Amino acid sequence: MLQNVTQIYKASFLKINMKKTKIEEIDIGIGFYSGKWSVIFLNKNLKKYPKLYNKVLKHELKHSKTSGFFRQTWVDIKDIKNIFYLDWLIFLIRHPRALFPGKIRGKLAIPIIGIIF
Ligand SMILES: [Zn+2]
């Protein structure tokens, strides 16, 4: 299981390097992608949940390869079953702060809808 996660993690990094997308840890939300900064923001607590980490990273990578509001929304619609699941719920119960808006690089960020203003 952990080996599998590591493999996907490495594969993800290869894709990230091609697009020069970076990963940055944050205190709020679960995951965000910013096309403006080419950064995937992941909640620092996700590392404790490798399976969920993997799902969120894969999801944000899909956003990083997509552009335009409607295509980005489509990524969310297609992934809704994969992301919003039991491990996600457990994460939110243990880290309820992840649900509340906060600041990323000084900008207002709204979790769940995944928007950084
Ligand atoms: Zn999304």
Side-chain angles (χ1 to χ4, degrees), residues 36-95:
K36 189 172 74 181
W37 296 318
S38 293
V39 174
I40 290 171
F41 295 97
L42 296 174
N43 190 305
K44 59 176 183 183
N45 294 309
L46 275 177
K47 284 182 292 187
K48 297 174 213 161
Y49 310 86
K51 213 175 138 189
L52 183 65
Y53 182 100
N54 223 14
K55 274 199 227 175
V56 175
L57 180 60
K58 276 204 296 198
H59 176 79
E60 300 306 334
L61 277 168
K62 284 181 200 168
H63 279 303
S64 76
K65 289 182 221 132
T66 311
S67 60
F69 176 79
F70 291 105
R71 275 186 231 140
Q72 295 289 13
T73 307
W74 185 237
V75 167
D76 288 330
I77 291 167
K78 278 196 293 183
D79 258 2
I80 214 151
K81 275 188 295 184
N82 302 327
I83 297 285
F84 299 96
Y85 204 55
L86 192 64
D87 44 5
W88 187 76
L89 204 68
I90 290 166
F91 181 83
L92 289 178
I93 290 164
R94 289 185 187 157
H95 308 280

Side-chain angles (χ1 to χ4, degrees), residues 1-15 54-55 57-58 61:
M1 162 61 199
L2 200 70
Q3 198 183 10
N4 190 29
V5 168
T6 313
Q7 278 166 357
I8 294 166
Y9 195 76
K10 276 181 195 162
S12 303
F13 261 111
L14 286 175
K15 285 178 211 153
N54 223 14
K55 274 199 227 175
L57 180 60
K58 276 204 296 198
L61 277 168

